[in-house]
Amino acid sequence: MKPEKNQIAWGITLFCVAVAVMLAYYVIFDGKDLLRSLGNIIDSLSGVIIGIIIAYLLIPIQDSIEKNILKPIYKKKGYDISLSVNADHKKRKQMRAIAVVATMAFFVLIIYMLIIIIVPQLISSIREIINNLPIYIRNIDDYSNSLLVNNPDLQELIDSQLTDYYETLSEFVTKHIKPYIPEVTTIVKVASQSVISGVKVVIDLIVGLIVAIYVLNSKERFTTRGKKLVYAFFKEDVANELVGGFRFVNNTFKDFIGGKIIDSLIIGIICYIGCKMLAINYPVLISVIVGVTNIIPFFGPYIGGIAGALLLVLINPIKALVFLIFVIILQQFDGNILGPRILGGSTGLSSFWVIFAITFFGGIWGVVGWLIGVPIFAVFYALVSRITNHYLRKRNLSTRTADYYDLAYIEDNQVMLLSDKTNRKFHARRESSTIKRIFSKQDSDSKRSTDNKS
């Protein structure tokens, strides 16, 4: 018995479907081992991943150095450094090496400036806060006592709440925390693991820098090989769509992440200047908090403002209030003026979808999801829009969203509008309001009862 071609195809299809179903069941109901394995793989490749991320962030700087500085110099000297076959490839490699060295030197300089200028001030501020913490706590205690003396009802309410919270906290510590307090051997083990983790971080950074140099030097080689694979295994139309899709993904991530970093850097500098002018304590520490948290879309400004205000409350509540007002003004400037100018329409998402993306991906991946959730969802949103518009064009329908605002239904390629009062199909016309129907029913009932009496 020789199987036919269709039977073989169906057999392979059924086998693939069965494997996919079993894999989906395993991922959904018993996916902890899979996630652990993926975590181990990512951990083993952490140095390479760090290098790729560093290179991706530095590529715009490298392109700018080549385009605005090196290429004009080489062209003025008469060298052809284009991508054509007859170009001088040696000079092109030389230019690329100079650009890579200049880019990495710029990156190392930025890191060095952060370590030399900002980090010591951050350490000094944190050390000062720790040393003055008893004074700050005493100030808060004196302020709260003076407030409660003049408000006995408020004091009684707070005392009762504190008693309840203290009992709950004691019970929680006794049941859940105290049994897990580590012994001396455990502490030694954790300390040794921390040292090993620190050494691994240093090794990953060194590997990352090496990988970043290689990626910056050979970035066209990666894209060229990717195009070869796509056009080798897919049809022309599909391959073109895939290449165009990857370009869109790259532009979306590059514009959003690069623009957000520049925007947050400017906001941090403005925050530092404002804190110095307003004589707010620890301006460097607070400005770094505001600038770093500003990278998180939408929620970041509020996180930074609240964190800075909580720190200032310990020192001077009035200064904390002044700082909150300043941060609100600063974030309004960022959201309405600076941010749109830098980011523009890099994602194409409305505010609702931005909040949705941050909430969803933040719940899955934590802080990483907050940072990259918006561009990921922007790519998914664009993909759905593109597929939708493709099928609308196949049906000779409009792809403009505005054309569907007043749409009631489509019948025999005829568009019927909600504003057309002659339409009664598919609930095209609005029913009368609930209040109007209630009163009209009451009127009809009263009229019916009057007729019955008569």
Side-chain angles (χ1 to χ4, degrees):
M1 295 177 61
K2 295 183 179 181
E4 297 180 358
K5 186 176 181 181
N6 289 337
Q7 291 175 327
I8 296 174
W10 274 108
I12 295 173
T13 303
L14 290 173
F15 175 76
C16 293
V17 170
V19 171
V21 170
M22 289 189 291
L23 181 62
Y25 177 86
Y26 177 76
V27 170
I28 294 173
F29 296 101
D30 194 18
K32 292 182 180 180
D33 294 335
L34 179 63
L35 292 176
R36 193 180 297 110
S37 301
L38 290 175
N40 293 333
I41 294 172
I42 293 173
D43 187 57
S44 63
L45 295 174
S46 56
V48 177
I49 295 172
I50 290 172
I52 293 173
I53 293 173
I54 293 174
Y56 191 79
L57 295 176
L58 293 179
I59 282 175
I61 299 174
Q62 179 188 356
D63 292 341
S64 179
I65 292 173
E66 289 183 351
K67 180 180 178 181
N68 300 319
I69 300 175
L70 297 179
K71 285 185 178 180
I73 294 175
Y74 276 85
K75 286 183 179 179
K76 188 176 289 186
K77 290 184 177 182
Y79 297 115
D80 184 7
I81 51 174
S82 64
L83 296 175
S84 62
V85 179
N86 298 323
D88 192 339
H89 296 287
K90 289 185 178 179
K91 293 297 180 182
R92 182 173 180 81
K93 289 181 179 180
Q94 184 185 67
M95 182 197 69
R96 172 55 55 83
I98 296 173
V100 170
V101 171
T103 303
M104 294 305 298
F106 176 79
F107 175 71
V108 172
L109 179 63
I110 294 296
I111 300 298
Y112 176 78
M113 290 176 61
L114 289 175
I115 294 174
I116 295 300
I117 298 175
I118 297 179
V119 172
Q121 296 192 41
L122 291 177
I123 295 174
S124 176
S125 299
I126 294 172
R127 186 183 294 117
E128 185 178 346
I129 291 171
I130 294 173
N131 293 334
N132 295 334
L133 190 60
I135 300 175
Y136 298 151
I137 294 175
R138 193 182 308 117
N139 292 337
I140 294 294
D141 187 53
D142 293 340
Y143 177 78
S144 59
N145 288 334
S146 62
L147 178 66
L148 293 176
V149 166
N150 299 323
N151 298 276
D153 295 335
L154 180 62
Q155 182 176 5
E156 183 179 354
L157 175 63
I158 291 177
D159 289 340
S160 62
Q161 293 296 323
L162 286 176
T163 302
D164 295 338
Y165 288 135
Y166 177 76
E167 293 177 355
T168 305
L169 181 62
S170 300
E171 183 180 357
F172 178 80
V173 170
T174 304
K175 288 183 177 181
H176 300 282
I177 296 179
K178 194 173 180 180
Y180 299 99
I181 294 177
E183 299 177 355
V184 176
T185 54
T186 308
I187 294 174
V188 173
K189 183 179 178 181
V190 171
S192 60
Q193 290 176 350
S194 301
V195 173
I196 295 173
S197 300
V199 173
K200 187 178 182 303
V201 169
V202 174
I203 295 174
D204 288 341
L205 289 176
I206 295 174
V207 173
L209 291 175
I210 297 172
V211 171
I213 293 172
Y214 184 81
V215 172
L216 289 174
N217 188 58
S218 309
K219 58 188 180 72
E220 288 87 3
R221 192 179 304 170
F222 290 107
T223 57
T224 301
R225 289 176 177 174
K227 292 176 189 176
K228 285 176 62 179
L229 288 172
V230 169
Y231 284 103
F233 294 102
F234 296 97
K235 294 181 180 179
E236 183 179 299
D237 294 339
V238 178
N240 290 333
E241 289 289 339
L242 285 173
V243 172
F246 276 108
R247 286 200 188 103
F248 174 78
V249 171
N250 173 60
N251 292 332
T252 301
F253 273 81
K254 183 173 64 177
D255 294 342
F256 178 80
I257 295 176
K260 200 64 182 172
I261 290 174
I262 295 173
D263 175 67
S264 300
L265 179 63
I266 295 174
I267 289 298
I269 294 172
I270 296 175
C271 182
Y272 174 77
I273 296 172
C275 289
K276 294 291 286 186
M277 293 175 63
L278 296 172
I280 292 176
N281 303 74
Y282 311 117
V284 174
L285 178 62
I286 291 176
S287 300
V288 169
I289 293 173
V290 171
V292 171
T293 55
N294 192 73
I295 298 177
I296 302 172
F298 194 82
F299 296 109
Y302 302 103
I303 296 173
I306 292 172
L310 289 175
L311 176 62
L312 292 173
V313 163
L314 297 173
I315 306 169
N316 190 335
I318 303 300
K319 286 291 179 66
L321 180 61
V322 172
F323 172 74
L324 274 179
I325 297 173
F326 169 67
V327 167
I328 291 172
I329 296 173
L330 180 62
Q331 297 307 328
Q332 289 299 315
F333 164 74
D334 180 35
N336 297 306
I337 299 175
L338 182 63
R341 283 184 176 274
I342 295 177
L343 296 174
S346 59
T347 61
L349 297 177
S350 63
S351 299
F352 171 79
W353 290 119
V354 170
I355 297 172
F356 174 84
I358 296 169
T359 306
F360 179 75
F361 288 100
I364 297 176
W365 296 330
V367 177
V368 177
W370 293 348
L371 298 178
I372 65 174
V374 172
I376 288 176
F377 189 81
V379 171
F380 173 75
Y381 186 88
L383 176 63
V384 173
S385 299
R386 197 165 184 171
I387 294 173
T388 303
N389 292 337
H390 171 73
Y391 283 104
L392 286 173
R393 292 190 194 97
K394 287 183 67 175
R395 291 168 172 79
N396 295 322
L397 297 174
S398 173
T399 58
R400 294 179 66 249
T401 304
D403 294 338
Y404 293 85
Y405 286 156
D406 196 32
L407 175 67
Y409 61 92
I410 299 175
E411 188 174 41
D412 298 328
N413 291 328
Q414 294 294 321
V415 177
M416 310 304 292
L417 303 178
L418 287 168
S419 56
D420 187 356
K421 296 183 178 180
T422 61
N423 285 336
R424 295 186 178 276
K425 292 179 66 176
F426 304 107
H427 304 286
R429 291 190 63 192
R430 288 185 177 181
E431 297 285 344
S432 58
S433 65
T434 304
I435 297 176
K436 187 175 181 181
R437 282 188 280 108
I438 291 173
F439 283 108
S440 63
K441 190 173 185 300
Q442 287 179 346
D443 293 339
S444 61
D445 290 342
S446 60
K447 184 177 180 181
R448 192 181 300 110
S449 63
T450 304
D451 293 339
N452 293 333
K453 288 180 180 179
S454 63

